[in-house]
Structure formats: C-alpha cells, structure tokens
C-alpha cells in the first residue's frame, strides 16, 4: 500500500462506521478516524451511532455522579473497623 493511503483491508470491510461529516453509515474504514464513530456490527447500529453514544454518555454521567456522591460521604462502613487497629 502506498504511503498516505487509507487501509480499508484490516477488517475486511465487515464492520460498520458512522461518518460524522456526511452523517452516513460506511462499511469498512473508508473515512479518516477523526470523522467516524464505531465500529458497529450492523448498518442499523451505525445509523443509530448518535443515540448509542448519547445513552452511553448518560450512563457514564450517572456513574460519575454515584462515584462523586460516595466520595463526598468520606468513607464506607468498612473503614470503621480499621479505627480499632
């Protein structure tokens, strides 16, 4: 392969990506990495990339909120046993 060309053969084109510039699904790595989301197993999943990312981000936000709430509590119940040592 010539230097500077895009390698589209490393996954044999079996994975789908969503191009965030064209807003279209693509079979294989057709676009530069900074223009695509994925990989996804199906075209439908690639088409739903925005919704999948949104749900994932909401889940992570909730996990961060739970983590921060635990951190603000100062310690968990197991720490009380350590005071006697």
């Amino acid at each position: 392969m010539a230097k500077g060309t895009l390698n589209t053969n490393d996954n044999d084109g079996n994975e789908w990506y969503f191009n965030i510039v064209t807003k279209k699904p693509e079979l294989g790595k057709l676009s530069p990495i900074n223009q695509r989301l994925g990989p996804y197993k199906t075209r439908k999943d690639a088409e739903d990339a925005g919704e999948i990312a949104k749900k994932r981000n909401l889940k992570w936000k909730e996990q961060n909120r739970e983590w921060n709430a635990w951190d603000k509590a100062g310690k968990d119940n197991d720490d009380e046993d350590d005071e006697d040592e």
Side-chain angles (χ1 to χ4, degrees), residues 19-37:
N19 185 310
I20 60 173
V21 175
T22 65
K23 308 287 190 225
K24 295 181 181 179
E26 300 175 342
L27 185 56
K29 296 178 179 177
L30 303 178
S31 301
I33 193 168
N34 64 339
Q35 293 181 5
R36 66 179 191 258
L37 300 176

Side-chain angles (χ1 to χ4, degrees), residues 2-73:
K3 185 176 180 181
T5 60
L6 201 55
N7 181 3
T8 59
N9 295 323
D10 57 352
N11 65 6
D12 294 326
N14 293 327
E15 296 176 313
W16 286 91
Y17 295 84
F18 183 78
N19 185 310
I20 60 173
V21 175
T22 65
K23 308 287 190 225
K24 295 181 181 179
E26 300 175 342
L27 185 56
K29 296 178 179 177
L30 303 178
S31 301
I33 193 168
N34 64 339
Q35 293 181 5
R36 66 179 191 258
L37 300 176
Y40 299 95
K41 291 184 179 184
T42 66
R43 179 185 178 99
K44 175 74 170 119
D45 285 346
E47 289 171 343
D48 294 340
E51 190 61 32
I52 291 170
K54 184 177 180 180
K55 287 178 183 178
R56 181 187 61 223
N57 289 343
L58 287 173
K59 180 180 177 182
W60 288 347
K61 187 174 183 179
E62 179 57 29
Q63 289 173 336
N64 285 341
R65 190 176 304 124
E66 291 172 6
W67 176 266
N68 291 333
W70 179 86
D71 191 38
K72 288 177 184 174

